[in-house]
Amino acid sequence: MEKPIMLALDFADFKQVEQFLESFSNPGDLTVKIGMELFYQSGPQVVKTLKARGCKIFLDLKLFDIPHTVEKSMERIGELGVDYVTAHTLGGSEMLTAAKRGLIAGAKRVNQPVPDLLGVTILTSCSKETLANELNCKLAMADQVVSLAKLAKQSGCDGVITSALELPMLTKEVGTDFKYVVPGIRMKQDAVGDQKRVATPEIAKQTGAFAIVVGRPVTQSENPVAAYRRYRANWNLEGE
Ligand code: C5P
């Protein structure tokens, strides 16, 4: 199975999504990520519309609340028939197991496969200075990410969101039987923006990523299809 590029549809409304997808010849082949910006404007309908077109869907709402609220919210999400969802590992094991329980219950109700639950570790926009000085974390970045990934695995997550920089340690200490999904992906010539822990698709692949997330370098490009192909070629070197 080809490892996915998850294209972050960080647009303000569905009209902009339509315009963006029109330039692709087979948009139904894409794996798309619907995040807070689009979901808060367009709601579950955007998920249903893109799913009906054949896209694989990563619904990235990064749930972080008390276990009961997360469980009930994940039940609703499980009913949407998406492929991947997220919750913050900082919510702890009780919240993560509740998230999984909710997803299973929701998916079962509508007879859909259970989405993969991905635990967000430390955001790729967080630097080691922020981790140490603002979050007062005593561990080094990679140790903290590994610790949260272990917690995620023990709590029933199917994988984690991580930067590529921690992948060598993750594959060694948490294992290769876990899905590592990597945002903060940039080719050398592209603007980094607010991301701090960045890597190229090729590096992410070589160090063990299951999937990469790419947003602005494609969505804000003057030629999104060409930009997507550039990232895809670098990610899937043997396939293009
Ligand atoms: O535009 P860019 O390529 O930086 O987009 C990255 C996407 O991945 C955004 O939608 C962001 O919400 C998401 N993301 C991230 N870091 C995480 C988890 C998700 O950048 N740890």
Side-chain angles (χ1 to χ4, degrees):
M1 195 190 78
E2 192 175 294
K3 294 182 167 187
I5 292 190
M6 298 164 161
L7 198 47
L9 299 179
D10 293 327
F11 292 106
D13 57 44
F14 191 62
K15 202 164 161 228
Q16 291 178 38
V17 173
E18 296 254 56
Q19 277 164 4
F20 172 76
L21 291 179
E22 258 169 29
S23 39
F24 289 83
S25 42
N26 293 308
D29 292 344
L30 298 171
T31 298
V32 295
K33 186 175 87 71
I34 299 169
M36 292 185 228
E37 183 183 1
L38 182 60
F39 193 81
Y40 289 158
Q41 202 280 335
S42 303
Q45 191 54 46
V46 72
V47 174
K48 291 175 189 157
T49 306
L50 292 173
K51 192 175 149 63
R53 290 195 190 166
C55 296
K56 277 198 170 284
I57 315 271
F58 172 10
L59 185 58
D60 181 22
L61 298 180
K62 296 188 177 67
L63 273 63
F64 192 175
D65 209 319
I66 60 168
H68 177 76
T69 302
V70 168
E71 180 168 351
K72 292 295 156 191
S73 307
M74 283 295 191
E75 263 186 63
R76 305 287 81 74
I77 291 175
E79 292 168 350
L80 292 175
V82 298
D83 301 278
Y84 310 94
V85 303
T86 43
H88 275 282
T89 54
L90 288 169
S93 63
E94 199 183 331
M95 193 205 84
L96 293 171
T97 48
K100 183 76 176 205
R101 236 184 358 257
L103 276 181
I104 293 170
K108 199 170 159 202
R109 191 169 303 131
V110 292
N111 213 12
Q112 290 277 339
V114 182
D116 276 346
L117 175 60
L118 304 170
V120 179
T121 57
I122 299 295
L123 294 170
T124 43
S125 56
C126 180
S127 65
K128 62 179 196 304
E129 290 76 20
T130 303
L131 187 73
N133 303 333
E134 294 182 18
L135 307 183
N136 293 316
C137 179
K138 303 280 177 270
L139 297 181
M141 180 66 78
D143 292 322
Q144 175 67 355
V145 170
V146 164
S147 162
L148 291 170
K150 283 182 179 164
L151 179 77
K153 200 177 189 187
Q154 284 155 14
S155 309
C157 290
D158 302 280
V160 283
I161 313 288
T162 175
S163 98
L165 309 188
E166 294 83 40
L167 282 174
M169 202 159 152
L170 282 166
T171 50
K172 195 160 150 248
E173 296 203 17
V174 187
T176 50
D177 58 336
F178 205 44
K179 290 176 176 152
Y180 300 109
V181 175
V182 178
I185 294 293
R186 292 291 186 274
M187 302 280 277
K188 293 272 180 300
Q189 61 269 44
D190 291 325
V192 166
D194 53 358
Q195 298 283 14
K196 303 286 185 310
R197 295 174 5 258
V198 298
T200 62
E202 186 182 7
I203 293 291
K205 179 96 169 246
Q206 282 167 357
T207 45
F210 160 74
I212 51 171
V213 176
V214 185
R216 288 162 291 182
V218 173
T219 54
Q220 295 186 9
S221 162
E222 279 181 15
N223 187 339
V225 176
Y228 178 73
R229 289 212 184 108
R230 212 156 40 86
Y231 274 77
R232 199 178 133 86
N234 192 258
W235 168 242
N236 194 30
L237 283 172
E238 76 275 20
E240 290 262 333

